Each structure stands twice: as structure tokens, then as C-alpha cells.
Amino acid sequence: MKVSYDFHIHTAASPCGDEQMTPNNIINLCQLLGKQMIAITDHNTCCNCQAVMSLGADKGIWVLPGMEIECMEEFHVIALFPTLESACEVEKEVHAHMPDLKNRVSIFGNQWVMNARDEIVGEVERILLTATGLSIYDLCPLVRAYGGVIYPAHIDRTSYSIISNLGLVPEDLGFQIIEVSKSANIDDYAPGYPGVRIVSSSDAHYLEQLCEKEFFLELPDISLTTLWRALKKC
């Protein structure tokens, strides 16, 4: 069966995320659009995952906790986790290796932490839009040690992508998934990456970006277990 997914969504916690990217706005719009499985992937944090996950459970939408992490090589990877607890443990490691620089709100905007009622309950003061000191060769085993899935984000872009920075996707990193941006055609990339699942998501920073394109996975049923097996190719 075809399952609608979107595994790259930002909230108002991301310094480049719009203030309207609140937990309720995201879940309500995803429900209207028929999205069945989504992931919250703010830059270097999972602080708003809990609120979106609780709302998604009430609306019948599977929500995976995740992050978009900028590695030491200065490209972005998507990390998805089976539990919020595992995501939080990796977040601790990521933050322990990030520069302690304060966010410049006048330039990057606020980094809001929200609850399930869209109330602002905190703000991340450290700038999140920066590289961690962890190499991609550190991040891959770290994420996998907590049962997570990690893969390079928007490899077709000319900035913050593994291709633009390294020139290729190293085989020794063991990626079983790669992401291309929503403007790319997945079929164009399939021949170059045999045996690798290629996904594409909205990378939404604004609500209207959630509406721009639909993405589907072929799964035997709709369940987190089935999805996880598909992502990990078990």
C-alpha cells in the first residue's frame, strides 16, 4: 500500500523556521493533506518532538523524532529515531560538541520550544544553525548505537550537502538511504545508487511548504514497526 510520508519538517525551534511552524499547525495541516507518517527534524535539536508526537498520536499520524544535524564536514544529515529518549541522548552528544555561541535573534530569529498547546515554554539560546564538532564518521555509529537511522540530506544541493562538500557519498559510511530535495526527480538518481533507498521530503520551514509536493512509500501496512524495517532494510 502507498503511505504518504514527510521525514524532513522543521518547527519554530529551527533558527530558519517560521514562527507559524507550531506543533498544532504542523499536525493539523498534515492531517488535512493526508500525510500519514512524518518526522520532526529541527537543526541540531529534538526539543519540539515530544509536543508534535503527542498531537500526532491523537490525530492518527505517526511522528518520528529526529534531527537535521550538521556534521564537522559542514553538510547536513537526517537522523531518525525509534524513541524520543534515544533522540535526546544523541542530542546531548551533539550539543556537547557544538560551539557555545549565543543565537543572534535579530538575524536568525527565535528558537522557540513549545508544548502541545502551542505555548512557548522556553527558548534555545545557543545558535543551532552551526556545525557540530562530530565528524560524519562519529555521527553514523552514534546514531546507529541508539537504534536510529542516519542518511545524507538533499544530496543534490550545492551547499550543505555531502556531494557539494565531499564530492561523493563514501561507501564505507554504509548509508542505506539518501535524500534528494523536493525539486529533484528520484528516478534520475536511482541508477547511480543501486540498492539504496532514495527519499524526498518537504524540508518545510514554512507551513505552505508542506503543501508543495506529496511523497509516498510502498509498505505492506501502516505501522511504526513496518516503517522502521523499511528504512533499515531489515
Side-chain angles (χ1 to χ4, degrees), residues 214-232:
E214 291 184 290
F215 313 95
F216 296 94
L217 285 176
E218 191 69 38
L219 298 175
D221 59 71
I222 303 177
S223 72
L224 190 57
T225 300
T226 299
L227 171 65
W228 212 243
R229 285 176 178 168
L231 292 179
K232 301 185 82 170

Side-chain angles (χ1 to χ4, degrees), residues 155-225:
I155 67 164
D156 54 303
R157 291 188 183 173
T158 56
S159 61
Y160 296 113
S161 78
I162 192 170
I163 298 292
S164 66
N165 286 28
L166 299 186
L168 78 168
V169 180
E171 292 185 5
D172 60 352
L173 289 170
F175 290 126
Q176 295 180 335
I177 307 171
I178 59 174
E179 181 198 73
V180 296
S181 64
K182 61 190 172 189
S183 61
N185 186 341
I186 288 178
D187 293 337
D188 291 341
Y189 289 84
Y193 299 94
V196 176
R197 182 182 293 277
I198 303 176
V199 298
S200 184
S201 291
S202 69
D203 191 7
H205 293 72
Y206 296 83
L207 289 173
E208 55 266 30
Q209 293 174 335
L210 288 171
C211 310
E212 292 177 350
K213 193 173 180 181
E214 291 184 290
F215 313 95
F216 296 94
L217 285 176
E218 191 69 38
L219 298 175
D221 59 71
I222 303 177
S223 72
L224 190 57
T225 300

Side-chain angles (χ1 to χ4, degrees), residues 117-146:
R117 294 185 295 275
D118 286 357
E119 297 169 336
I120 296 171
V121 295
E123 183 174 5
V124 181
E125 294 190 357
R126 169 190 281 174
I127 179 65
L128 294 172
L129 198 63
T130 187
T132 176
L134 294 169
S135 165
I136 188 60
Y137 286 93
D138 299 318
L139 279 173
C140 284
L142 173 64
V143 171
R144 291 165 183 160
Y146 283 94

Side-chain angles (χ1 to χ4, degrees), residues 17-53:
D18 187 68
E19 291 183 356
Q20 295 303 309
M21 293 297 282
T22 67
N24 276 279
N25 283 346
I26 290 169
I27 286 298
N28 289 337
L29 184 52
C30 284
Q31 184 182 40
L32 287 172
L33 295 170
K35 295 180 188 285
Q36 296 161 292
M37 293 183 164
I38 67 171
I40 298 302
T41 53
D42 282 310
H43 288 289
N44 294 322
T45 186
C46 58
C47 65
N48 280 337
C49 286
Q50 183 174 16
V52 184
M53 290 171 71

